[in-house]
Amino acid sequence: MEEKHTWWKEAVIYQIYPRSFMDANGDGIGDLRGITQRLPYLARLGIDVIWLSPIYASPNDDNGYDISDYRAIMRDFGTMADFDALLAAAHAQGIKIVMDLVVNHTSDEHPWFIESRKSRTSPYRDYYIWRDGKDGQPPNNWESCFSGSAWQYDDSSDQYYLHLFSQKQADLNWENPRVRDEVYDLMTFWCDKGIDGFRMDVISMISKDQRFPDGPMKPDGYGDFSPYCISGPRVHEFLQEMNERVLSHYDLLTVGEAAGVTIDEAKKYARSDGRELGMVFQFEHVEAGNGRGSLVEKWTLGKPQLKNVRAILNKWQTELAGQAWNSLYWDNHDQPRAVSTFGNDAPEWRELSAKMLATCLHLMQGTPYIYQGEELGMTNTHFRSLADCRDVEELNAWHQFVEEQKKLSPETMLACFDNIARDNARTPMQWDASANAGFTAGTPWIAVNPNYPAINAAAEVNDPDSVFNYYRQLIALRHTHAIIVYGTFEPLLTDDPAVYAYARHYEGQTLYVACNWTQDTVPCPLFDDKAGTELISNYKTHESGYLQPYEARALLV
Ligand code: GLC
Ligand code: CA
């Protein structure tokens, strides 16, 4: 069935984590004026849309994912005038802007929560989820995503409030129609400014089972909230209401972050009749290597394997076809760096494997997302001690698994951080070889990755063989070949131990793609009997019957 054509299916999105992108005023923190300064770089790359991680007022317990005022700009990032200037400058260059919408929870410093906390009879009490404890214990056994109980006791009213994330991120009560009205109002405020869409933070968790039952016990001694909070009872009703009240009045890109989402649920969220969202982020492929649900949760030294990643992505490609639209990503601000995780960041393989991964993902069906620095092949960093870490998830996990439960030694935990910590993605963008990678004239809020003299934008932009220019080529191809956007997807060589291969079909043409995920030369007969146009490859010459280490090829027949 032919997919319905829309602009956001044809677009390539670039995610900016403002804190780490570009610091214009030398205080060590990225800001909006810094982003505006760097728009020409993004225009050169050729992306269509910027997704901005949260820029709203926030005490920064979770770097802006804890919002204290939805209609104000975070002081560190600038002013509303700076935002208006950024939006205008981006639009002038043909780049759209999508905002992060964080409405599963607010900061505990949001005025609603401050009021809510005052007493059991506060008119704002019901904006949040307050419950009595059970025999001096929290209302149930749910574990927060950032370690420890998901309930925080409040002395003054002798009740607990729910926080699926940190204690400073109190979950909103979506059962309350006034809360939903507030959310729709603030969304309308931003839409009326002329923004182009929303990435909706943990939107799959807004509806909770109102019985708040204990969850299945996890090995770390807490209960799993997922069965009662992920794609909960009223989530689709809420999103359809949001769509009716706000989204349908504008022409927006919408993508819901949906950890734990199943294919069947995704078909509802991203249904092609447009009654809810445009697409969702599923998590299966990025979690294929980690240990979620183990004694120490996600903390692991493991890496995702081709076999699993391929099975997962092929399943999403084939099962959503014609019914819902895929998002495509390896990387974001919550994941370690793609080339270190799925590829090989050793100097001799870094560029080849980064290009291979880009080919593999960008030629699938769906809307591709690039996370800042991914287009340079930026790598994971090294954490020498806890003092190098900034992320609340890391600090809390250290407390729980190293200090409290003593399940991991400090050395092992640091090695896990090197492998999988979110701060790997949050080291400053590497602009050039000058001090602090050209990110700031001051002291960066988190250390730059020491490899910036070798890996940086200035070096790559002018090098035709760079990872940057390879991404640029892939983006341009998507803009010129409808088969890349709308072609159907056919998995190939699904048992191959080394090669990820597939075909795309559209209007009588076929695009063959094959990617070698290993550092060995491996047999691959796919191209031998075919003549066509090579759209892209990370090698200039090929060996018939084989793929060279990390080789990627795409042939249009
Ligand atoms: C999402 C965000 C993540 C944040 C969490 C809580 O997963 O991407 O960065 O910590 O939600 O808002
Ligand atoms: Ca700054």
Side-chain angles (χ1 to χ4, degrees):
M1 177 182 130
E2 172 77 14
E3 303 281 347
K4 192 170 159 247
H5 291 209
T6 65
W7 65 266
W8 46 264
K9 290 179 180 170
E10 297 165 14
V12 178
I13 322 302
Y14 187 92
Q15 182 191 354
I16 290 182
Y17 195 68
R19 202 170 192 78
S20 304
F21 190 64
M22 181 66 208
D23 174 22
N25 67 351
D27 65 356
I29 300 173
D31 44 47
L32 297 180
R33 285 202 292 128
I35 299 173
T36 306
Q37 280 172 19
R38 295 296 186 176
L39 285 175
Y41 168 84
L42 298 177
R44 174 136 186 195
L45 182 58
I47 53 100
D48 305 283
V49 179
I50 293 170
W51 148 27
L52 284 179
S53 274
I55 57 164
Y56 316 92
S58 164
N60 282 310
D61 185 56
D62 187 17
N63 292 347
Y65 284 91
D66 49 320
I67 295 169
S68 53
D69 184 348
Y70 289 98
R71 290 177 174 78
I73 302 294
M74 188 192 301
R75 236 178 262 129
D76 291 338
F77 290 173
T79 63
M80 192 59 88
D82 293 333
F83 176 79
D84 294 338
L86 168 59
L87 186 64
H91 283 170
Q93 304 198 37
I95 295 175
K96 293 178 161 42
I97 292 198
V98 162
M99 304 284 283
D100 220 306
L101 181 74
V102 188
V103 289
N104 174 68
H105 44 266
T106 73
S107 165
D108 65 343
E109 297 180 39
H110 193 291
W112 301 334
F113 190 79
I114 294 173
E115 286 305 316
S116 179
R117 187 176 226 165
K118 282 186 179 155
S119 77
R120 292 189 182 212
T121 55
S122 157
Y124 285 90
R125 189 67 170 180
D126 234 18
Y127 270 46
Y128 296 86
I129 302 170
W130 291 95
R131 290 290 182 280
D132 291 329
K134 266 199 219 144
D135 316 318
Q137 297 295 315
N140 68 24
N141 67 2
W142 294 356
E143 179 172 40
S144 130
C145 293
F146 293 159
S147 311
S149 169
W151 297 93
Q152 175 67 19
Y153 181 65
D154 183 61
D155 252 346
S156 59
S157 61
D158 186 31
Q159 280 193 315
Y160 292 78
Y161 67 86
L162 181 70
H163 61 89
L164 295 183
F165 293 87
S166 91
Q167 287 171 22
K168 288 183 66 62
Q169 293 167 299
D171 280 60
L172 283 164
N173 175 21
W174 275 71
E175 300 293 319
N176 180 350
R178 282 177 61 207
V179 166
R180 305 205 297 276
D181 287 344
E182 299 268 18
V183 170
Y184 306 150
D185 283 355
L186 74 90
M187 291 174 71
T188 301
F189 169 85
W190 288 98
C191 289
D192 288 344
K193 273 190 169 290
I195 63 148
D196 303 290
F198 294 107
R199 173 268 186 188
M200 300 186 187
D201 193 65
V202 293
I203 203 69
S204 55
M205 301 187 192
I206 57 176
S207 166
K208 281 92 178 165
D209 186 323
Q210 293 301 297
R211 297 167 302 163
F212 294 91
D214 277 341
M217 272 313 252
K218 301 201 269 186
D220 73 348
Y222 288 95
D224 181 5
F225 66 65
S226 327
Y228 307 107
C229 298
I230 292 191
S231 301
R234 298 181 70 189
V235 69
H236 297 291
E237 174 195 336
F238 294 156
L239 287 175
Q240 286 170 30
E241 180 184 77
M242 175 197 282
N243 188 297
E244 233 173 80
R245 297 270 299 274
V246 186
L247 304 178
S248 60
H249 302 286
Y250 306 87
D251 182 16
L252 302 173
L253 178 161
T254 52
V255 53
E257 189 205 20
V261 73
T262 60
I263 297 251
D264 283 340
E265 285 295 332
K267 286 182 189 165
K268 299 183 201 159
Y269 288 112
R271 36 196 283 170
S272 46
D273 68 3
R275 279 188 61 200
E276 294 188 20
L277 304 176
M279 50 196 147
V280 290
F281 292 127
Q282 58 83 18
F283 276 59
E284 288 186 69
H285 67 303
V286 291
E287 292 189 341
N290 80 28
R292 278 248 185 252
S294 84
L295 262 183
V296 291
E297 278 294 297
K298 79 174 210 181
W299 306 103
T300 176
L301 301 174
K303 300 273 190 202
Q305 300 301 307
L306 168 63
K307 194 169 141 262
N308 303 332
V309 172
R310 177 178 54 204
I312 292 165
L313 290 180
N314 285 355
K315 174 184 78 176
W316 282 89
Q317 287 286 305
T318 49
E319 295 196 22
L320 290 198
Q323 301 186 52
W325 192 249
N326 268 297
S327 67
L328 305 172
Y329 75 100
W330 293 130
D331 221 350
N332 60 43
H333 65 293
D334 295 330
Q335 301 299 331
R337 288 284 175 182
V339 69
S340 303
T341 302
F342 300 97
N344 187 334
D345 62 10
E348 65 272 40
W349 303 121
R350 184 185 63 84
E351 291 178 272
L352 276 171
S353 69
K355 293 172 185 174
M356 181 280 287
L357 289 170
T359 316
C360 192
L361 191 80
H362 280 244
L363 299 182
M364 289 184 193
Q365 193 185 65
T367 299
Y369 290 74
I370 300 168
Y371 178 68
Q372 66 184 42
E374 180 187 336
E375 79 283 12
L376 304 175
M378 276 178 62
T379 68
N380 279 357
T381 192
H382 173 54
F383 303 95
R384 293 158 307 175
S385 76
L386 195 61
D388 286 344
C389 302
R390 296 288 177 275
D391 178 13
V392 61
E393 181 182 45
E394 287 150 42
L395 306 185
N396 288 1
W398 184 277
H399 177 73
Q400 179 170 335
F401 298 119
V402 178
E403 291 171 357
E404 227 174 63
Q405 302 184 346
K406 302 201 188 325
K407 298 262 169 55
L408 291 172
S409 69
E411 297 71 34
T412 310
M413 191 53 146
L414 285 170
C416 292
F417 284 175
D418 283 356
N419 186 45
I420 206 170
R422 306 196 301 180
D423 276 339
N424 284 299
R426 301 174 180 186
T427 62
M429 178 74 175
Q430 294 167 203
W431 292 107
D432 58 40
S434 71
N436 293 318
F439 162 72
T440 180
T443 307
W445 70 276
I446 185 171
V448 295
N449 189 318
N451 64 18
Y452 72 85
I455 305 173
N456 65 68
E460 293 199 25
V461 166
N462 295 315
D463 170 2
D465 290 330
S466 65
V467 179
F468 175 91
N469 278 308
Y470 195 89
Y471 268 87
R472 188 170 179 233
Q473 224 184 314
L474 277 170
I475 296 167
L477 283 171
R478 174 168 287 262
H479 292 150
T480 44
H481 293 274
I483 189 171
I484 297 176
V485 181
Y486 294 113
T488 56
F489 179 92
E490 179 196 359
L492 299 173
L493 311 180
T494 49
D495 292 324
D496 195 290
V499 178
Y500 195 146
Y502 56 86
R504 304 286 306 279
H505 303 282
Y506 189 68
E507 295 185 343
Q509 288 190 310
T510 298
L511 175 65
Y512 291 96
V513 181
C515 299
N516 178 1
W517 277 53
T518 73
Q519 53 180 281
D520 306 314
T521 296
V522 297
C524 180
L526 188 64
F527 299 103
D528 292 354
D529 57 349
K530 297 181 181 74
T533 317
E534 180 164 285
L535 289 192
I536 193 163
S537 176
N538 55 355
Y539 277 79
K540 295 205 166 76
T541 59
H542 308 295
E543 282 177 34
S544 110
Y546 291 89
L547 286 176
Q548 300 160 87
Y550 295 110
E551 179 168 358
R553 281 181 78 177
L555 190 75
L556 184 62
V557 177

